[in-house]
Amino acid sequence: MADWQGWMRQANYVAGEWIGADSGQTIDVTNPATGEVIGTVPACGEAETMRAIDAAAAAFPELAGMGLMARVGLLWKLHDALMDNQAALAELLTVEMGKPLTEAMGEIAIGAQYVRWFAEEARRAKGEIVPAGVNGRRILVTKHPVGVVGMITPWNFPSSMLARKVAPALAVGCTVVAKPATATPYSGLAWAALAEEVGYPAGAVNVLTGSARAIAGAMMARDEVRKVTFTGSTEVGKELIRQSADTVKKVSMELGGNAPFIVFDDADLDAAAEGAIVSKYRNSGQTCVCANRMYVQAGVYDAFVEKLVEKTRALKVGDGREAGVAQGPLIDKDAVAKVEELLDDAKAKGAQVALGGSRHQLGGSFFQPTVVTGATQDMAFATEEIFGPLAPVFRFETEEEAIEMANATRFGLASYAYTSDLGRAFRLNEKLQYGMIGINSGLITTVEAPFGGVKESGLGKEGGSQGLEDYLDTKYVCIDGI
Ligand code: NAP
């Protein structure tokens, strides 16, 4: 048995010390699969965050001034610490969040890959020498760490969403003040424990739990915080963008999605159905890149639905720690109510339930994997993020119609299409208004590529070389009289 409790820190990490809230107050943390309280975390607020920002500002010159290979070496150790403790960290993640253990193992592994990727990218954070317009001048373009970075993350990927922020920040010498989601704080606090274990200087990494408004408010107010990176809902993201104006911070925003999943007549239908399962039901439908709307061309509509229903029926629902479970509970009962609301709206407008459609007999926040046919653009899930195990299948006739329906949303994060026509794949790449496009793939997140959205899905990229760039300021020096 992995020692997941050994990584469950019921305290906050500020300036290299494990602390409680000044008020002494705590917040309960619950296992969504059982409803049991597994522990508490401090209910910190503005004062503790101010001290964390002071510590991060004080640690910045040390981390930024450290030799590059010393900083890279710390990241290598961080990678190894994650992988050496993968099973324990994954179980902790499953206990507080609910996702199946195999998915949690994958999340810790991809987090470690992000750490390794950014250790490699930091060595290539190159500047430029640009030809000057007049003789006697040289123009140098150089890169510099932005400074203290505030980070706010959601509950659906409580470990890897921090990996994509913490790793590039530390790689270039930025220091960190992070606030994980209240529902899943332990995977975030584990990053502080890991940073402590591998020897980061005090203040380089600070992690706080408690009031989102108070903690974020302090981050947004302080000049020393030069960048805020947020992953979460579009509504909160917009609020943070507004708040960033007063101190003109850099912002990265990884916000909501409403991914179309388009299946053309010429697609490999088995591959499309398999991709749909991965894209739709991973994390019980609670990912920002989950297929939200399945658009299927008329000629293969019935055949695709049959395959999708068959594969969906085979998904085992249960406690994520049980062997063979493919779908855990939803994060809480509000999430279940939201799925029911979207389903009721669709049924009232003529959709039919082909599979599932109700709460699961396990009770709590478990919901049956559900497939709905006859979906239309006037139904609420055509424009809203479902964030649950509900797959609505829409029908379309032509490529133009599919693209128009797919783009008819304020979101622009991930999109997917299955086709064997290469020309069509290029047309989709040009016409789909999305930051990410999976052609014949339902699983596209990878450390080498820039993850991020367009439209109201966000600003900035995580992963790829672009993911490092977001933590760097560009300066230019003009040397004259040469
Ligand atoms: P959320 O409600 O926006 O919460 C995200 C984080 O923001 C949490 O830490 C939360 O703290 C904090 N927060 C809440 N209200 C705040 C406020 N007024 N000011 C500052 N911070 C505040 O989102 P969620 O429900 O946790 O996550 C689901 C959303 O995240 C979905 O829309 C999903 O698509 C999106 N997401 C996007 C990506 C991406 O890469 N684009 C990845 C994953 C998820 P508390 O927990 O304390 O409330």
Side-chain angles (χ1 to χ4, degrees):
M1 278 287 275
D3 178 24
W4 61 272
Q5 275 137 328
W7 285 99
M8 197 175 99
R9 299 300 157 95
Q10 303 192 60
N12 283 183
Y13 193 61
V14 172
E17 305 281 341
W18 290 96
I19 64 159
D22 292 352
S23 65
Q25 290 183 341
T26 58
I27 304 166
D28 288 347
V29 182
T30 305
N31 177 343
T34 61
E36 284 164 8
V37 173
I38 53 171
T40 65
V41 287
C44 284
E46 186 183 340
E48 298 89 337
T49 310
M50 290 294 186
R51 295 204 293 275
I53 295 168
D54 290 341
F60 174 60
E62 184 182 350
L63 196 65
M66 195 181 266
L68 172 62
M69 288 316 290
R71 261 200 330 268
V72 167
L74 280 173
L75 287 171
W76 288 342
K77 285 190 191 167
L78 194 54
H79 167 274
D80 291 350
L82 278 157
M83 292 313 290
D84 290 347
N85 297 286
Q86 184 187 15
L89 293 166
E91 192 161 348
L92 176 66
L93 202 167
T94 291
V95 168
E96 67 174 348
M97 196 270 143
K99 70 176 59 175
L101 205 45
T102 47
E103 288 188 24
M105 289 287 282
E107 181 172 342
I108 302 300
I110 197 170
Q113 285 176 36
Y114 276 111
V115 171
R116 192 160 62 183
W117 171 260
F118 284 115
E120 292 159 356
E121 279 299 291
R123 300 175 72 181
R124 292 187 276 274
K126 292 179 273 197
E128 281 180 285
I129 299 175
V130 183
V134 291
N135 285 340
R137 275 192 169 192
R138 299 294 181 271
I139 295 173
L140 273 61
V141 179
T142 54
K143 307 279 175 169
H144 306 267
V146 295
V148 177
V149 181
M151 306 182 176
I152 303 170
T153 48
W155 48 262
N156 63 342
F157 287 92
S159 185
S160 65
M161 292 299 106
L162 266 175
R164 309 199 303 199
K165 303 180 188 304
V166 170
L170 295 177
V172 297
C174 296
T175 52
V176 172
V177 178
K179 190 210 94 64
T182 301
T184 56
Y186 294 128
S187 297
L189 288 162
W191 279 94
L194 289 158
E196 182 184 38
E197 184 173 295
V198 304
Y200 274 94
V205 176
N206 305 271
V207 182
L208 298 127
T209 53
S211 160
R213 278 187 185 281
I215 296 171
M219 287 180 189
M220 300 315 290
R222 288 283 295 269
D223 262 337
E224 293 87 338
V225 178
R226 290 318 311 147
K227 173 183 171 81
V228 166
T229 169
F230 171 76
T231 301
S233 61
T234 294
E235 282 55 46
V236 173
K238 286 182 182 178
E239 183 57 37
L240 294 173
I241 293 171
R242 280 184 208 107
Q243 291 174 15
S244 72
D246 282 345
T247 52
V248 191
K249 294 186 201 312
K250 266 183 186 276
V251 289
S252 287
M253 294 283 150
E254 296 287 346
L255 309 178
N258 182 341
F261 186 102
I262 311 171
V263 183
F264 288 95
D265 281 347
D266 59 14
D268 173 338
L269 278 198
D270 288 318
E274 194 52 48
I277 293 287
V278 174
S279 168
K280 175 72 252 180
Y281 298 106
R282 193 163 61 102
N283 206 8
S284 305
Q286 304 170 113
T287 87
C288 53
V289 291
C290 269
N292 205 73
R293 298 164 287 151
M294 305 217 174
Y295 291 109
V296 182
Q297 203 157 10
V300 293
Y301 189 92
D302 293 339
F304 176 79
V305 168
E306 196 180 312
K307 287 179 192 292
L308 181 65
V309 166
E310 189 189 325
K311 286 182 186 294
T312 304
R313 203 193 303 280
L315 297 173
K316 182 177 170 189
V317 179
D319 186 324
R321 286 199 283 173
E322 270 173 38
V325 163
Q327 191 186 284
L330 299 196
I331 190 68
D332 56 27
K333 292 199 173 141
D334 287 349
V336 176
K338 167 102 191 278
V339 173
E340 283 180 330
E341 204 179 292
L342 292 171
L343 195 56
D344 288 346
D345 166 79
K347 285 197 287 190
K349 291 172 182 161
Q352 297 96 45
V353 175
L355 184 75
S358 329
R359 292 177 185 227
H360 197 275
Q361 62 194 25
L362 287 169
S365 60
F366 287 96
F367 199 85
Q368 295 174 335
T370 296
V371 178
V372 160
T373 57
T376 51
Q377 292 290 94
D378 61 334
M379 295 174 185
F381 46 46
T383 47
E384 281 180 40
E385 200 176 17
I386 300 171
F387 243 58
L390 162 60
V393 193
F394 300 67
R395 188 187 296 266
F396 72 90
E397 302 287 339
T398 65
E399 184 180 308
E400 292 68 32
E401 192 193 354
I403 291 170
E404 194 184 321
M405 293 203 288
N407 286 339
T409 155
R410 65 192 173 112
F411 296 109
L413 192 59
S415 57
Y416 308 88
Y418 277 72
T419 178
S420 55
D421 178 339
L422 184 61
R424 172 177 281 154
F426 276 94
R427 289 194 294 279
L428 292 170
N429 175 232
E430 283 150 26
K431 291 185 181 158
L432 285 174
Q433 296 160 356
Y434 287 84
M436 296 175 281
I437 304 175
I439 302 285
N440 299 330
S441 174
L443 189 61
I444 56 176
T445 305
T446 178
V447 300
E448 300 86 2
F451 187 106
V454 297
K455 293 162 79 176
E456 292 191 20
S457 288
L459 299 167
K461 302 289 176 193
E462 295 193 326
S465 56
Q466 297 83 352
L468 194 76
E469 194 65 37
D470 273 9
Y471 292 81
L472 293 166
D473 282 329
T474 300
K475 284 188 194 171
Y476 130 69
V477 55
C478 173
I479 306 173
D480 212 338
I482 290 174

